[in-house]
Amino acid sequence: MPAGIQLTAPVPGWAIDADVVVVGSGVAGLTTALRCAAAGLRTVVVTKARLDDGSTRWAQGGIAAALGEGDTPEQHLSDTLVAGAGLCDEEAVRTLVTEGPDAVRRLIGTGARFDTSATGDLQLTREGGHHRRRIAHAGGDATGAEISRALVDAVREASLRTVENALVLDLLKDEHGNTSGVTLHVMGEGQHDGVGAVRAPAVVLATGGMGQVFSATTNPAVSTGDGVALALRAGAEVSDLEFVQFHPTVLFLGAGSEGQQPLVSEAVRGEGAHLVDADGVRFMLDQHELAELAPRDIVAKGIMRRMRERGAEHMYLDARHFGAQMWATRFPTILAACRSHGIDPVTEPIPVAPAAHYASGGVVTDLRGRTTVPGLYACGEVACTGVHGANRLASNSLLEGLVFAERIAADIAAVAAAPRPVPAAASSVARPAPARAQPAALLPLIAPEARLTIQRIMSEGAGVLRSATSLGVAAEALEAVFQDALRPKDPGKPAQPGVESWETSNLLCVARVLVAAALEREETRGCHWRDDFPERDETDWRRHLVVRLGTGRALELSRTDTAAFPAVHPAHSAHPVDPPVPREPSP
């Protein structure tokens, strides 16, 4: 049967057979892979760069869980629901906060070394939106790097098969529409080279975010929305993509700076740093009861408002009172990053401004990580589990990757162990379709030089501040990029298949979806800020927007009837029994 909409790419020249292929090597991907391998499944990990080059290693603040004395999952749940601004799925959040503490303990058992006190207890700190100290950290501000190290070491010790420097292209399906693997392109020389395939009945997308769709972001260069774009082309649904979290305190490197920007962790404010303007005035005191520790959307908006009032390009984060010793021991990574750009936070305030940081939305999943495509799972930032709602609570992302990775692995193992029905017309289970089934439609490739154009369109029209005018201009400009690819000015020089054109095509895909959803949502909620609709609308807009890519390559956008998280329909479930039950709206 047709494999759906696909990128233009060469026919695969090699193939690997497996039980499960995990795409991505952050906390979500490697945890899933380790659990699947422990269940006896032939597991292959595909990653775009090296195993330790994903977004996880850049996480500075830490991982949130109710591990401290007096803290409870209920308190963690309450803080998460408040941050999510009415669009969290309470069942998903309850799953996160109740299973989270043990998941962190298992991570420690895997080898992750968190910072501890002299008595051996975990050192916990606070971040924005948290009413208690519940953030575990490692190496002061190098938590992600330590988690990545521990998981990569475990993967290597388990001798899992890995394919590094590989960009995933498209999903493969068998004649029944079930997942049967992925196509991918391996860059450079090695055991595999060029376009190939990993054939497996279960595919887990753990590809991270899409921050590179904006000019300035905290995300690494590999975060080009590949997983969301692949899922859309395969027929999966995505939701809440308009809710892009802009981290409030990113080191300001100048108005024209582009690409990955240094993050100044929320934990710096958690330890007592103050946001001030050029005159040293703390402007967050009258904005929220938690002042600088308000949820990220509120802090980002507070900074942007003050910038508007003062006609400034940035504000300042003042932590001079920490002293040199605290900076060196608690925040060595941030201290080094600041000093490398000529700023010494020990003696001067740090210039900061919001930049794209985290996608709260993504590929719709149920509580086992299953998408609307049979056999296709999603985990981590690429997924939309309902945990984050309209705005992610600080340091919930690493925890989400851990908890839902374990659930996905358990589901895949259960499916593999269940008796498989024999098709009536055959004596055995149908083998996967050929590596390149006839596609229903091929997407036009977008030339690599359009990447900067897309990023500037998005930063100018769909950044922290949005309006019908800015979003409309962005939508028209993105459509022009798409139409130029359909009808190139020089038909004799079309974009050629390759990593840069595939990445740019993915960026355009997610940019168009994000702008369409942001234009449709006529309210301000969480990290979606509409200048022309400044209030939260609980009557008409406590809803989720769901997007599919139609067979004619057009976006199909719909709104849910209630605040209930979009359910993964049982007919699309890969699990043979116990299909998911549609969830009730959060209170």
Side-chain angles (χ1 to χ4, degrees):
M1 68 172 292
I5 301 171
Q6 295 185 332
L7 291 170
T8 300
V11 173
W14 53 269
I16 300 171
D17 289 315
D19 296 318
V20 55
V21 54
V22 178
V23 186
S25 60
V27 63
L30 295 188
T31 301
T32 304
L34 286 167
R35 297 293 183 270
C36 285
L41 299 171
R42 293 176 301 161
T43 305
V44 174
V45 177
V46 173
T47 187
K48 195 171 178 181
R50 297 190 308 272
L51 275 181
D52 61 353
D53 265 353
S55 294
T56 291
R57 66 181 286 232
W58 298 99
Q60 294 176 341
I63 184 166
L67 294 162
E69 184 177 353
D71 198 4
T72 66
E74 284 296 322
Q75 294 176 68
H76 191 182
L77 176 125
S78 176
D79 286 345
T80 301
L81 293 179
V82 169
L87 284 185
C88 292
D89 179 76
E90 185 166 341
E91 186 181 359
V93 178
R94 192 172 297 280
T95 298
L96 178 84
V97 300
T98 56
E99 297 181 12
D102 283 343
V104 173
R105 294 184 186 103
R106 283 189 288 274
L107 178 63
I108 293 172
T110 302
R113 298 186 292 265
F114 289 93
D115 296 340
T116 57
S117 66
T119 59
D121 296 323
L122 283 175
Q123 285 186 342
L124 302 174
T125 190
R126 277 182 70 192
E127 293 185 357
H130 293 272
H131 281 79
R132 283 192 173 271
R133 286 183 170 264
R134 65 168 64 99
I135 317 300
H137 51 83
D141 58 359
T143 310
E146 170 58 17
I147 291 173
S148 180
R149 180 208 60 77
L151 292 173
V152 168
D153 284 354
V155 163
R156 288 176 175 154
E157 185 177 343
S159 299
L160 265 67
R161 187 164 189 175
T162 61
V163 183
E164 296 181 287
N165 301 306
L167 172 64
V168 67
L169 299 177
D170 281 303
L171 192 73
L172 293 171
K173 297 181 182 180
D174 65 18
E175 60 266 39
H176 304 294
N178 300 312
T179 293
S180 63
V182 291
T183 54
L184 62 155
H185 173 81
V186 179
M187 298 164 266
E189 297 180 0
Q191 184 177 1
H192 301 288
D193 196 6
V195 174
V198 180
R199 297 188 293 241
V203 171
V204 182
L205 296 177
T207 52
M210 55 185 192
Q212 290 291 328
V213 79
F214 294 95
S215 295
T217 177
T218 63
N219 289 191
V222 294
S223 299
T224 52
D226 307 320
V228 170
L230 177 150
L232 281 165
R233 291 192 297 271
E237 295 176 348
V238 303
S239 185
D240 297 349
L241 222 61
E242 67 270 33
F243 297 117
V244 176
Q245 186 178 85
F246 288 78
H247 198 289
T249 53
V250 175
L251 184 62
F252 181 75
L253 300 180
S257 59
E258 296 179 333
Q260 186 178 10
Q261 313 285 300
L263 175 67
V264 182
S265 169
E266 194 114 4
V268 177
R269 281 175 281 138
E271 296 292 352
H274 302 144
L275 280 166
V276 298
D277 60 21
D279 295 327
V281 176
R282 285 182 66 186
F283 54 87
M284 285 302 301
L285 290 174
D286 60 352
Q287 305 255 350
H288 192 274
E289 62 172 355
L290 295 176
E292 286 91 352
L293 285 177
R296 287 178 177 175
D297 63 309
I298 294 172
V299 179
K301 290 169 187 173
I303 291 173
M304 294 299 295
R305 288 192 187 100
R306 195 66 164 186
M307 285 165 56
R308 277 180 162 185
E309 292 168 3
R310 302 299 301 269
E313 292 181 321
H314 61 82
M315 289 288 110
Y316 294 92
L317 188 64
D318 192 350
R320 289 175 289 180
H321 55 286
F322 284 4
Q325 180 64 26
M326 181 174 175
W327 267 111
T329 57
R330 179 68 180 86
F331 301 110
T333 306
I334 298 170
L335 178 63
C338 289
R339 285 178 170 170
S340 72
H341 290 283
I343 299 154
D344 188 351
V346 176
T347 61
E348 60 186 316
I350 306 168
V352 293
H357 181 57
Y358 191 89
S360 294
V363 185
V364 176
T365 73
D366 64 9
L367 296 182
R368 293 191 184 97
R370 300 174 294 193
T371 74
T372 52
V373 175
L376 178 64
Y377 297 77
C379 190
E381 189 172 355
V382 70
C384 185
T385 62
V387 160
H388 304 306
N391 183 44
R392 175 179 68 98
L393 180 64
S395 288
N396 267 356
S397 53
L398 292 175
L399 190 70
E400 182 193 33
L402 273 182
V403 169
F404 287 90
E406 293 185 343
R407 290 180 143 254
I408 287 171
D411 193 73
I412 293 173
V415 172
R420 302 194 180 200
V422 178
S427 58
S428 62
V429 176
R431 294 184 59 80
R436 190 72 174 188
Q438 277 297 320
L442 289 177
L443 279 177
L445 285 178
I446 309 301
E449 52 266 29
R451 179 169 179 154
L452 287 178
T453 300
I454 294 167
Q455 291 171 330
R456 288 167 182 165
I457 290 169
M458 293 299 291
S459 291
E460 292 170 7
V464 179
L465 302 176
R466 302 166 176 175
S467 68
T469 300
S470 73
L471 291 165
V473 169
E476 289 181 7
L478 293 173
E479 181 63 22
V481 174
F482 184 70
Q483 292 300 326
D484 284 347
L486 285 175
R487 293 182 289 274
K489 295 181 177 63
D490 186 352
K493 294 184 179 180
Q496 295 300 307
V499 172
E500 291 183 342
S501 58
W502 289 323
E503 283 188 333
T504 306
S505 299
N506 288 336
L507 285 172
L508 180 61
C509 177
V510 296
R512 294 175 74 207
V513 174
L514 194 162
V515 168
L519 192 54
E520 181 77 8
R521 183 174 288 278
E522 296 180 334
E523 66 158 354
T524 290
R525 181 184 297 270
C527 49
H528 171 66
W529 187 3
R530 285 285 297 263
D531 258 357
D532 45 348
F533 293 95
E535 303 300 324
R536 195 157 123 181
D537 183 348
E538 293 295 291
T539 302
D540 295 327
W541 278 110
R542 194 168 171 230
R543 306 282 188 271
H544 298 271
L545 289 171
V546 181
V547 183
R548 291 172 55 95
L549 191 61
T551 53
R553 299 184 292 211
L555 300 179
E556 298 176 355
L557 189 149
S558 61
R559 191 194 315 187
T560 58
D561 294 330
T562 70
F565 189 73
V568 174
H569 194 277
H572 295 288
S573 172
H575 201 279
V577 293
D578 188 24
V581 177
R583 309 183 212 175
E584 295 301 317
S586 302

